[in-house]
Amino acid sequence: MKLHEYQAKEIIKGYGVPIQNGVVAEKVEDAVAAAKTLYDDPEGKFFVVKAQIHAGGRGKGTVTETGAKGVIVAKGIAGVKEAAEGILGGTLVTIQNEATGGSKVNKIFIGEDMYYPGESERKEYYLSITLDRETGRDVIIASSEGGMNIEEVAEHSPEKIVKEWIDPSVGFQAFQARKIAYGLGLSGTAFKNGVKFITNLYKAYQGTDADMLEINPMFKTADDKIIAVDCKLSIDGNALYRHKDFEGLRDKAEEDALEVEASEFDLNYIKLDGNVGCMVNGAGLAMATMDMIKLSGGDPANFLDVGGGANAVTVEKGFRIILKDPNVKAILVNIFGGIVRCDRVANGVVEAYKNIGEIPVPIIVRLQGTNAELGAKIIDESGLKVTSATTLAQAAARVKEALS
Amino acid sequence: MSILVNKDSRVIVQGFTGKEGSFHASQMIEYGTQLVGGVTPNKGGSLHMERPVFNTVSDAVKTTRANVSVIFVPPAFAADAIMEAADAGVEVIICITEGIPIKDMIYVKSYIDDRNVTLIGPNCPGVITPGECKVGIMPGFIHNPGKIGIVSRSGTLTYEAVDQVTKQGMGQSTCVGIGGDPIIGSTHLDIVKLFNEDPNTEGIVMIGEIGGSNEEIAAEWLHDNATKPVVGFIAGRTAPPGRRMGHAGAIISGGKGTASAKMDVMEACGIHVVDTPAAIGLTMAKALGAKV
């Protein structure tokens, strides 16, 4: 489960990680009122106004309606008002969400200016914690190139990246925090603050069952404080049962409306932008079916794994969700019946079809496994606009026919 | 011959008396698996399906000399169940449970790495040596004893490959579903090594999907060591980046773990890569024919 920057910052603050202070607002007037609370004398002071959407790349992203950037440094209350007007309610398109048409901005974060001048050099760093799948351990990745995309840094200057793996039998060690802080070139007070920052950040990662926690940039102020200017936090969905307090943090407005509806039916559905819908049992076979649709000259309109219980109720829900997508020109149902028998699935398809009434697109039902022939017979004799197939190759050919 | 399980395997079920455990235990017994008992805390001393129930895995192993355990306990308790089996000296632990938190699996992996034990899964269909022993949730009847070893991260896609191999008249030595999670006990590499050494396995089918780099690692090892033909498929060429495709581990992150990149490496390592699973059976038949 992905969280917004403001939610993530509040959580890590609870673990003793210093953050850039700020407030959240949903309306321009609230933003103005909130900004006034950040400084005793706000006029002439700088603020940073940031769109709260899940996608990254906000600073370089643009709000379609106004042309404003997703992150704005504003001067004084008038500046905050102008920035809020430019961002709130608009559609922010960044490099990470342009494929899905951008995200509507419902909230902004107004933060205090941390880039004030002073004796020490101001500098941005990168710090993240995630699972390293190859070793099966958590890894902390740090870089002196803050504010940059870490994949690019890894490609162009890998020597600027420091990595520390955590041994689960003893946990994160103090020497590892020192190694990272030295590796980033921190010294003096900033070093001490850095060690504390890294140590507490790992506690936050552990304590929240995160699968990714990224601070970019982690910032050294002109008075040697180390603070989180941005924060991305994602919680392991399988561990949410241990964190009832996070229940209210899911933002359904960030998700595709059809996906939200499908999740309420307990369907594992992902919306794509193709023209052939599909309903499959098993995630691997579902992906393979999408690939097959592509090879047949179509494009998959969705991923949908109905799991082991491919009965009439599930199939009907699946059809209803798929049919809400106006791009769908055909639907391929691909079931490998193991424990679930194909004749029961076929009856489920027929029943679901009749319950829905008229389905305007051709449906191809490929059944293989237990009682496959009986299933095909039920489909063929149903009198409905449904075609049966037994092998994968046949199913692919039927999809091709349906599209031509 | 076969790998991991055979007719002499003595199998116990953890979560024996639960709904899932009971259903699949009965299917395994029907298939002919030597199911010697089960474990459900606080139900020890009773009989279930005419087999003894134990409070602890340790008790079960002492009494039944079980060497394989299959786990059906709910995700919140599954990590504990795996470690209990490892502690009791079970040699092969097969965890079917889906939805175990990543943090729990990090501890489990570290725990079993220190012990002489093989973990298959979690979030997998299990392992079957056709005609001898079925330990998991796969439909037994699609399998036939034979010479092809199959390793895969998914369930139904594996059945698809099995079905094709059976229909080509080749049959399977052993089929291993290694699971769809980001942290799994045995990887593609661990299993292809076993198949490569198994005298009864003449060809290997390796099925992967997007996410991680396990398929590439196995492919590189096979390039230097394979003594038999390998047919490969990767699911998810049309999957969008950054989305979890059903399996917790099926995600392209930071541009890494794409199907095309995996297929390229496999191809370069001499694996017969097919672009649709519909071609797995025929491609293997041809690869074996060409070898003879």
Side-chain angles (χ1 to χ4, degrees), chain B residues 224-243:
Chain B
D224 299 331
N225 299 285
T227 55
K228 25 197 114 171
V230 183
V231 172
F233 174 72
I234 301 290
R237 223 170 357 171
T238 50
R243 301 296 308 263

Side-chain angles (χ1 to χ4, degrees), chain A residues 133-134 138 151 168 206 209 236 238 241-242 259 268 270 272 281-282 285 290-291 295 336 338-339 366 368 370, chain B residues 76 99-104 106-107 110 139 141 156 160 163 167 213 236-238 240 243-244 246 249 275:
Chain A
R133 292 173 63 156
E134 269 183 42
D138 289 324
E151 278 98 29
Q206 271 280 358
D209 266 301
D236 176 8
N238 287 340
Y241 72 91
R242 301 199 267 239
E259 291 181 17
N268 201 340
I270 293 174
L272 303 168
N281 66 335
L285 189 59
M290 286 162 45
D291 298 348
L295 287 173
F336 198 104
I339 303 305
R366 184 266 177 162
Q368 184 60 276
T370 316
Chain B
I100 305 177
I102 293 170
K103 193 162 79 178
D104 296 10
I106 291 177
Y107 291 129
S110 165
F141 79 97
T156 45
E160 188 70 54
D163 191 53
K167 283 175 180 157
S213 52
R237 223 170 357 171
T238 50
R243 301 296 308 263
R244 255 173 239 286
D275 57 6

Side-chain angles (χ1 to χ4, degrees), chain B residues 190-248:
Chain B
D190 298 322
I191 305 302
V192 297
K193 277 182 177 171
L194 296 177
F195 279 137
N196 205 43
E197 283 162 19
D198 175 36
N200 272 25
T201 299
E202 293 178 20
I204 302 171
V205 174
M206 179 167 113
I207 299 171
E209 59 193 35
I210 54 163
S213 52
N214 275 332
E215 293 88 348
E216 292 94 316
I217 294 168
E220 272 153 23
W221 184 87
L222 284 166
H223 178 258
D224 299 331
N225 299 285
T227 55
K228 25 197 114 171
V230 183
V231 172
F233 174 72
I234 301 290
R237 223 170 357 171
T238 50
R243 301 296 308 263
R244 255 173 239 286
M245 307 301 285
H247 287 153

Side-chain angles (χ1 to χ4, degrees), chain A residues 128-329:
Chain A
S128 73
I129 312 172
T130 190
L131 168 72
D132 174 35
R133 292 173 63 156
E134 269 183 42
T135 57
R137 293 179 172 197
D138 289 324
V139 61
I140 301 187
I141 303 168
S143 159
S144 51
E145 299 287 293
M148 301 260 299
N149 179 333
I150 193 71
E151 278 98 29
E152 278 171 33
V153 179
E155 198 159 303
H156 299 119
S157 27
E159 74 285 353
K160 287 180 177 158
I161 292 181
V162 187
K163 285 187 181 182
E164 280 295 317
W165 283 264
I166 289 101
D167 182 339
S169 59
V170 293
F172 186 59
Q173 297 299 301
F175 78 86
Q176 295 184 295
R178 294 197 300 274
K179 266 176 85 180
I180 296 167
Y182 282 127
L184 292 176
L186 295 173
S187 59
T189 310
F191 171 83
K192 279 185 199 157
N193 287 332
V195 167
K196 217 167 159 185
F197 185 100
I198 296 160
T199 307
N200 287 340
L201 195 74
Y202 186 72
K203 282 182 189 156
Y205 176 87
Q206 271 280 358
T208 56
D209 266 301
D211 55 29
M212 205 273 304
L213 176 51
E214 182 185 76
I215 308 294
N216 190 22
M218 173 177 102
F219 186 64
K220 181 168 86 70
T221 65
D223 51 359
D224 285 331
K225 287 182 188 132
I226 303 289
I227 59 145
V229 168
D230 194 4
C231 180
K232 258 194 212 140
L233 174 60
S234 155
I235 311 291
D236 176 8
N238 287 340
L240 283 175
Y241 72 91
R242 301 199 267 239
H243 301 278
K244 300 286 180 224
D245 49 327
F246 292 166
E247 263 169 19
L249 300 182
R250 178 177 170 196
D251 183 358
K252 290 184 182 169
E254 276 283 334
E255 302 168 35
D256 181 274
L258 268 184
E259 291 181 17
V260 173
E261 205 179 324
S263 75
E264 280 154 15
F265 284 152
D266 281 325
L267 290 176
N268 201 340
Y269 170 90
I270 293 174
K271 167 99 171 60
L272 303 168
D273 49 13
N275 54 1
V276 180
C278 56
M279 196 184 327
V280 189
N281 66 335
L285 189 59
M287 281 187 271
T289 304
M290 286 162 45
D291 298 348
M292 222 177 62
I293 288 169
K294 179 91 182 171
L295 287 173
S296 308
D299 275 302
N302 65 280
F303 166 93
L304 174 54
D305 171 14
V306 292
N311 54 35
V313 179
T314 327
V315 172
E316 184 180 334
K317 284 172 183 169
F319 275 143
R320 287 191 190 276
I321 294 285
I322 293 172
L323 287 167
K324 283 194 178 175
D325 177 353
N327 296 328
V328 169
K329 300 281 176 282

Side-chain angles (χ1 to χ4, degrees), chain A residues 39-47 74-77 80 113:
Chain A
Y39 299 100
D40 292 336
D41 173 23
E43 280 318 317
K45 294 287 194 325
F46 285 95
F47 299 84
K75 192 176 179 186
I77 297 300
V80 170
D113 172 29

